[in-house]
Amino acid sequence: LGTCQICRSAKAQYKCPKCLLKYCSLKCYKDGSHTHEQSDAGRKAEGENTAGTSVDQSGSAANPREKQYASLMNDQVIRDMLRSPTLQHHLVSIHDILSDPAQSGEHTAEGRHDVALKKFRELRAGGIEDNIEVEEFVGRVLHILEGRPAPD
């Protein structure tokens, strides 16, 4: 991960899940220079909760895409699939390619996206790595996002 972005002296071992800031310890994570208050305040002012989901007056997801994502998060089969260490490993590797230029060798978001997409295709059926867990996960996600009943 490189050097801690707070103290700038120790080796970073963690990434903040909210802002992806790399840090070495709990002390650095809780340091006053690592805050999300400004972004949280801006979201609240724009009618969003701190998770970044727009909400309507009733407090529910405001647009259809967010409802689809909520369906993914609430799908028990998806949740069970995400417990698989193999699937976790592959999804983390794709996340790392997207978020860390050192993992992909690309310094632009577009370049990292292309590398991640290539990796994803290799994991799908017929790809070099052809992983059945990835294929089943993708199939389930697509069924839900397309609004079709997902097969159990």
Side-chain angles (χ1 to χ4, degrees), residues 36-138:
H36 302 111
E37 293 171 15
Q38 184 178 23
S39 61
D40 288 348
R43 285 189 192 118
K44 287 176 184 172
E46 294 169 8
E48 295 183 1
N49 65 22
T50 56
T53 305
S54 298
V55 291
D56 62 16
Q57 298 292 339
S58 69
S60 61
N63 78 42
R65 181 62 82 194
E66 289 167 0
K67 288 179 183 178
Q68 288 177 322
Y69 293 140
S71 295
L72 284 174
M73 292 172 56
N74 293 324
D75 185 81
Q76 188 59 48
V77 174
I78 292 283
R79 295 169 82 166
D80 291 342
M81 288 176 166
L82 289 171
R83 288 188 184 105
S84 161
T86 300
L87 184 59
Q88 289 174 12
H89 168 78
H90 291 307
L91 293 176
V92 166
S93 71
I94 291 169
H95 174 269
D96 289 346
I97 289 168
L98 289 167
S99 62
D100 185 0
Q103 292 289 324
S104 64
E106 294 288 336
H107 295 286
T108 66
E110 184 178 348
R112 290 189 302 274
H113 180 268
D114 291 344
V115 173
L117 189 56
K118 180 180 179 200
K119 172 72 172 174
F120 195 62
R121 286 183 180 136
E122 290 171 354
L123 289 167
R124 300 275 321 264
I128 296 169
E129 298 183 48
D130 196 349
N131 186 283
I132 188 67
E133 289 184 46
V134 172
E135 188 62 27
E136 289 175 353
F137 177 76
V138 169

Side-chain angles (χ1 to χ4, degrees), residues 15-30:
K15 274 188 200 175
C16 173
K18 196 166 192 176
C19 67
L20 301 179
L21 182 84
K22 298 171 187 173
Y23 60 96
C24 65
S25 66
L26 185 58
K27 179 182 175 191
C28 281
Y29 179 79
K30 290 184 174 185

